[in-house]
Amino acid sequence: MTSQASARRADTAPPQRLRAVVVLAVAALLATLAPPAAAQGDSPWPSYQADAGNTRQAEADGPSDPGVKWLRDLAEPEPGDAAANADGWGLRVGRSGQGMPVVGPDGELLLRASSNEEDTGDVLLALDPDDGLVQWEYETDSLFRNPCEPAVDSQGRVWIQDFTGDETKLVGLDAASGNVLVSLEDGEDGNVPACTRSTLLLGGQGDGERLVIPGRSGEPGDVVAVDVSADDGDVGVDWTLDDDGDIAEVLGTDSSSRSDSFAMSDDQLFLGVRTGEDDDGTVELAAFDLDDGSVAARVGLPTPPAEDDEDPADHDVNDYGRLRMLVADDTLVLGPEDAEFDHLVAYDVSDGLTDGQSHLWLERDETMGRWAMSSQGDTVVTLAGPRPSRDLVGRSLADGSEQWRKDSTTGTQENIIPVGADGGLFVRQSGGDIAGLAPDGMREWFFTPDGLAAALGVDELEEVGYSSANTVIGPIDGEGTLYFASRSANRDALLAIDSSGGLDEAECGASFVDVSPGNAHACDIDEMLARGITEGVGGDRYAPRGTVTRAEFATFLVRALEIEPLASGPFVDIDGYPAHRENINAAFAEGITRGVSETAFAPGRQITRAEVAALLARAFELEPVASGPFEDVDDSIHVGDINAAFEAGITNGVSATRFAPERVLPRDQMASLLIRALDQAEDL
């Protein structure tokens, strides 16, 4: 976890006695919470606004210690720009990610923009990810007639829709130069419909790779697939969607649609459809074969259960305007929009969707499914609850069960939440703060607009075209850089945040709601959580002034040292402590802890400062020291260990000459003792 504590201790390491503590336990925790993402459909571009499953999960981790890589004020041309434009460019970005840059095959940022020069049209810009300079631009009359976002195929070609005059073209560009490689025109080369406000969908593998254009008319015949597995000269329209005789409308193709109205697996395209006439038809989930556009399956949607004070008749699945979709871990998750009862419903698509298939699970939550949906490998992340304080919720893709929930007291503002490969989340919060969250929604770092201005060396962010009130969070590239687009007073900026540091304003004490930043032990308590040593006492609480039992401290030590728990041991009084029993046995077997007799451990007794010193001395194999500065320890059986721990820099007294050996140890002080011991271990 990036905090003052972790930054302070980054260069410390424990001795060999601690075995795998060299690799912090937090890595194991993150791996448990968020297994590596499997790119659905093996999309050649599994990035934000790009992967066929709408997972929003990148192939790289996002920033861990945020710093400004660069900020590009697009209204101000730079001397290093390869394209000359005296008046710069403007963006048209939306809260759902429309117009955000997408990542090309070599990391270039592909950005739809409008030229600020008079009598010029729109452009596709390629920006250098190292400095934000323009590498090339592709000029056209318009890229903004409700078009799809660009897509990049497995051969590295950049596909966009070009509206020149009355023509609608699908153009394939060389990502390195912007030169036209392929141009398909409507009519001449088959049906090339005007795309809805979505993404060009790219999925399938090898000879089955297809680029799907969801036309905006809503008619099945306005959804076409282009075979992009071929070389430039052989690319062409492959099929038009089969209407199966009674499909009247494809949902999510109007001007208000978003990119996640459609999704793809390796061999199927998923769409919401309406059968029958006008608004009286039936809404269904349909799957189409990527090979030929034929209907593979049609599935009726379940009605979510009504609560006690609700009338089931108020909810009608046929009122759905569109279905938000996510495909990850062989699971298709739907978030119906215009649903009276907010919910998510999931289907197992490991073998494709089949006719009449029952849903895997259905879960209800207020506003869930209307806003963000992202994937952390085997977990779907959604926003739930009313604005502005919507919660972040992680649910298992296997059964829909809630894995974690983070009260969004600072108000998550995005409809899109990018996810790093490690499951970390990135959000814009109320007031314009930018935050990086752990896979369980806990805030690891944040920076404010004022902090960003200071890092950029300006008094007001508007000076460089950045507005904290009008910022959209964007993709994570292959190097882990996170991008933001912003508009301010008709000036537009693109901000790149990497892990170079200097922006984090997080205070110690952010891990638990009952730990004040002013607590002298707050940083160490944060570190206890980050290293997987404690998870608190529940409800995001740590109980800093609570006491520690002998059983609890044994568990803390075993976790810190990554010792394997043992099923059996000599103590007969620990069976009533199942959460600690095996850890006590392990600590005893390692020679760290002893009982109060040969068969008794006294697990529920509050541990004293002297006992903690003794346990730490044994854990780090310190030789007893006969004398020290404390005048009140001579009668303690642990005097040698107390002096040894003090000499090693692990423990301090309550004054220069007093240690208070029999005083019980509060949980906040315990955190500092244990973390200090781990940090000093390299020199022991």
Side-chain angles (χ1 to χ4, degrees), residues 226-392:
V226 175
D227 182 352
V228 293
S229 65
D231 295 333
D232 298 342
D234 298 322
V235 171
V237 173
D238 188 41
W239 52 255
T240 298
L241 201 67
D242 184 358
D243 67 5
D244 206 26
D246 65 344
I247 295 177
E249 179 188 1
V250 175
L251 302 184
T253 57
D254 59 23
S255 60
S256 63
S257 69
R258 292 194 283 260
S259 63
D260 53 6
S261 298
F262 325 95
M264 299 169 76
S265 65
D266 281 347
D267 48 21
Q268 288 186 337
L269 166 68
F270 304 107
L271 300 171
V273 300
R274 190 185 306 277
T275 63
E277 297 296 328
D278 300 324
D279 293 334
D280 296 328
T282 301
V283 171
E284 297 178 335
L285 169 65
F288 299 84
D289 282 332
L290 279 183
D291 285 340
D292 56 14
S294 62
V295 178
R298 285 168 52 178
V299 175
L301 298 172
T303 299
E307 304 291 348
D308 292 340
D309 58 345
E310 296 172 336
D311 184 351
D314 290 340
H315 185 94
D316 186 351
V317 298
N318 298 319
D319 290 338
Y320 297 164
R322 74 182 187 99
L323 306 175
R324 303 192 74 171
M325 299 188 184
L326 178 147
V327 182
D329 203 36
D330 292 327
T331 304
L332 169 63
V333 182
L334 307 180
E337 201 163 87
D338 303 318
E340 184 67 27
F341 303 157
D342 298 312
H343 66 287
L344 295 180
V345 60
Y347 295 85
D348 181 355
V349 292
S350 55
D351 296 319
L353 196 70
T354 57
D355 271 330
Q357 181 174 329
S358 297
H359 61 279
L360 183 63
W361 52 262
L362 186 153
E363 292 291 337
R364 287 198 56 183
D365 208 334
E366 186 178 6
T367 74
M368 185 173 65
R370 295 188 194 179
W371 310 114
M373 278 204 300
S374 301
S375 165
Q376 296 174 307
D378 62 359
T379 304
V380 58
V381 179
T382 65
L383 289 177
R387 290 191 181 194
S389 57
R390 294 171 292 181
D391 295 344
L392 276 170

Side-chain angles (χ1 to χ4, degrees), residues 525-572:
I525 293 170
D526 287 347
E527 196 74 4
M528 289 276 286
L529 176 67
R531 299 192 187 196
I533 300 171
T534 184
E535 295 180 357
V537 296
D540 286 344
R541 296 176 60 254
Y542 180 76
R545 299 310 295 168
T547 56
V548 183
T549 66
R550 285 168 53 84
E552 289 170 336
F553 195 76
T555 290
F556 291 141
L557 271 178
V558 166
R559 289 176 184 166
L561 305 182
E562 292 194 351
I563 300 170
E564 287 295 322
L566 289 179
S568 61
F571 304 121
V572 298

Side-chain angles (χ1 to χ4, degrees), residues 53-73:
N54 300 318
T55 65
R56 321 296 183 203
Q57 186 160 18
E59 290 186 311
D61 300 345
S64 57
D65 185 10
V68 175
K69 185 176 184 180
W70 49 261
L71 183 141
R72 176 63 197 269
D73 183 353

Side-chain angles (χ1 to χ4, degrees), residues 194-220:
C195 191
T196 188
R197 193 168 70 176
S198 175
T199 53
L200 289 169
L201 299 171
L202 197 64
Q205 301 185 61
D207 293 341
E209 186 176 7
R210 297 293 182 270
L211 183 73
V212 176
I213 307 173
R216 59 189 174 192
S217 72
E219 298 177 1

